[in-house]
Amino acid sequence: MARYTAPVTPLHADNTPCGHPVTSTGKPKDPASGCTGRTHYRAACSCSWSTTCDARILAADARTQHLRTHLTAPAA
């Protein structure tokens, strides 16, 4: 069985990855960092599936549901 990975990535409004430290509301902790803040999250599978959500928990749930589709059905 192939191994699939589907990380959840925080994104800026322009869809670039955000690795900056942010507050609980998504605003940058350091205003001088050039970060515009996190606005959404993308879950992307190595099979080319992806989805974008406003909250990390929603992206993580979508990722989990998608990864379950890769499981093979048990033998009868």
Side-chain angles (χ1 to χ4, degrees):
M1 180 162 70
R3 181 180 172 136
Y4 295 95
T5 58
V8 174
T9 307
L11 301 172
H12 295 123
D14 63 357
N15 290 327
T16 57
C18 178
H20 307 97
V22 295
T23 65
S24 60
T25 61
K27 296 183 187 216
K29 286 187 176 182
D30 180 13
S33 69
C35 177
T36 57
R38 293 181 184 166
T39 58
H40 52 284
Y41 296 84
R42 177 182 299 128
C45 182
S46 55
C47 75
S48 75
W49 169 90
S50 71
T51 188
T52 303
C53 301
D54 291 337
R56 181 173 177 76
I57 190 70
L58 296 176
D61 285 345
R63 171 192 63 190
T64 300
Q65 289 177 3
H66 171 73
L67 287 174
R68 286 183 183 148
T69 66
H70 290 298
L71 297 176
T72 58

